[in-house]
Amino acid sequence: ASGLALSAGIWSAGLAMSFAGLPRIGSTARRIAVMQFISQVAIASQVPAVQDAARSSFSKASTCVQKSAPGLTSWGKCIKAGGMEAISNLAA
């Protein structure tokens, strides 16, 4: 989580630099932030707990979509519930 916060901070600093009249430095900082974000996500995807949570969430989402295919009204609620459950499982 701290790596993602670092990415957000670098992105914000780059945006501030662009607004301050330093567009090249700001653009470079934002590109660095994107690369930092991608690397953090790639590293996190190697953690078994994250993989299990993602698989669980995706399978629940797939089941919900299949159940509500005739009327996709509850699709968003179903996906949100599965995602929140996966997040709570990671925190535990």
Side-chain angles (χ1 to χ4, degrees):
S2 62
L4 297 178
L6 175 65
S7 297
I10 294 171
W11 178 271
S12 300
L15 191 61
M17 285 184 225
S18 291
F19 283 138
L22 302 167
R24 284 187 176 173
I25 296 172
S27 176
T28 302
R30 288 193 309 268
R31 288 180 184 149
I32 291 170
V34 168
M35 294 306 295
Q36 171 70 16
F37 175 77
I38 291 170
S39 68
Q40 288 297 318
V41 170
I43 290 170
S45 70
Q46 301 301 316
V47 177
V50 173
Q51 291 175 350
D52 293 341
R55 283 189 196 106
S56 173
S57 180
F58 292 142
S59 67
K60 288 178 185 177
S62 175
T63 303
C64 289
V65 169
Q66 289 172 358
K67 286 181 183 176
S68 63
L72 291 174
T73 56
S74 64
W75 183 73
K77 292 178 188 174
C78 191
I79 299 296
K80 184 177 180 182
M84 292 307 231
E85 184 178 337
I87 289 170
S88 66
N89 288 341
L90 276 176

